[in-house]
Amino acid sequence: MKAVPFSETVWFDAQGRPFDVTLLVGDRFTKPIAKVVGRLRIEGSPVMVGDGSTLSIARDFAPRLDEFVEVAFGPNVNEVDVRLLTDEAQPQTNGFRLDMVGASPVERWGSFELAYGTDGGSGGVTTKYVLERNAGQPSNYEAMNDFDLDVQFADNDELSGLDSFVFANGFGDGSFPMSRGIDASGRLVALVIWTGVQPWRISVPDGTPPPDVSEREQEVADCLAGKRKLVNDLCW
């Protein structure tokens, strides 16, 4: 990767294509890591993505289903691998990726959609079954006050295996997107919960990027070509 002389904040891949995120400094985001940190048992139940503080500190464990975004991998999908997306040069949580165990490769990624809004600096993933079964019951999570902790798993039902996790997103309040990974047959096989602080294609090299990423890359290219404006090193 290299920075263009006029701003030193736009980065290119080996083919000279600009990435979708600007304002990168020095050698940041050059050694991406996607490491498996756990396996989530879903037993055919839809995955539910929401504010992690609801799962980690709620004494009554009584979040409403409408507070979560439902993502259905399919009735015959029993497990998904959970990967932490980070970077060796700049350790931080850039996102989380859920991959159906034994799935075919991702061919394309869907448009960004809202994963969750957070007031507590954390996101959470569980299943619809867990939320329905444990409504009004004590949670197995302790308060997540240590935001150096990347991810914290829990088992919230009588079956063996982990069924929920909470993670620190590193940015406090805000909202975060996600993208669904689709294989060649049109089947959902992966999900990325994203922070948007690292270029997408560095952390997620497989499959056609979400349309939002391609559009942003084109905006940056237009900015470099003088077709858009630079304001405080941001392309508008």
Side-chain angles (χ1 to χ4, degrees):
M1 295 185 293
K2 61 180 180 179
V4 297
F6 75 85
S7 69
E8 297 186 351
T9 59
V10 179
W11 292 79
F12 297 88
D13 63 16
Q15 289 71 46
R17 177 181 174 186
F19 288 113
D20 57 311
V21 174
T22 57
L23 291 180
L24 305 184
V25 179
D27 294 326
R28 293 177 64 193
F29 309 133
T30 57
K31 300 177 182 178
I33 300 171
K35 61 180 179 180
V36 176
V37 292
R39 177 167 286 185
L40 206 64
R41 194 198 68 253
I42 62 176
E43 299 296 334
S45 180
V47 167
M48 307 296 282
V49 183
D51 185 343
S53 62
T54 303
L55 297 179
S56 62
I57 64 176
R59 297 192 178 196
D60 295 332
F61 197 97
R64 300 191 307 270
L65 288 177
D66 60 8
E67 295 176 332
F68 289 76
V69 178
E70 181 174 323
V71 181
F73 278 91
N76 298 318
V77 179
N78 295 321
E79 295 178 308
V80 293
D81 281 327
V82 180
R83 287 177 170 84
L84 169 65
L85 303 179
T86 184
D87 193 278
E88 184 177 308
Q90 184 77 12
Q92 62 184 8
T93 301
N94 295 324
F96 275 91
R97 175 169 175 165
L98 279 61
D99 285 275
M100 189 174 75
V101 175
S104 52
V106 173
E107 182 180 76
R108 59 181 173 85
W109 294 93
S111 297
F112 285 149
E113 54 188 291
L114 176 66
Y116 63 97
T118 175
D119 292 325
S122 63
V125 177
T126 185
T127 69
K128 190 173 184 179
Y129 170 75
V130 166
L131 291 181
E132 291 175 336
R133 179 183 182 279
N134 289 294
Q137 301 298 317
S139 171
N140 285 342
Y141 285 120
E142 296 178 357
M144 188 175 178
N145 296 319
D146 180 4
F147 287 96
D148 291 330
L149 182 65
D150 289 320
V151 58
Q152 173 186 352
F153 286 87
D155 180 0
N156 283 297
D157 62 30
E158 76 285 358
L159 302 176
S160 63
L162 304 170
D163 54 46
S164 309
F165 73 95
V166 171
F167 58 92
N169 53 47
F171 286 89
D173 298 352
S175 59
F176 296 84
M178 66 183 184
S179 176
R180 306 183 191 218
I182 309 299
D183 69 6
S185 69
R187 185 183 187 185
L188 174 70
V189 293
L191 178 71
V192 167
I193 303 168
W194 194 232
T195 64
V197 299
Q198 181 174 23
W200 172 275
R201 288 189 290 114
I202 291 180
S203 276
V204 190
D206 59 322
T208 302
D212 314 73
V213 170
S214 299
E215 290 170 6
R216 180 57 181 165
E217 290 175 341
Q218 186 59 54
E219 289 176 358
V220 175
D222 289 345
C223 194
L224 297 174
K227 298 178 182 179
R228 302 178 73 94
K229 293 182 178 179
L230 264 181
V231 180
N232 295 329
D233 281 332
L234 290 173
C235 185
W236 299 95

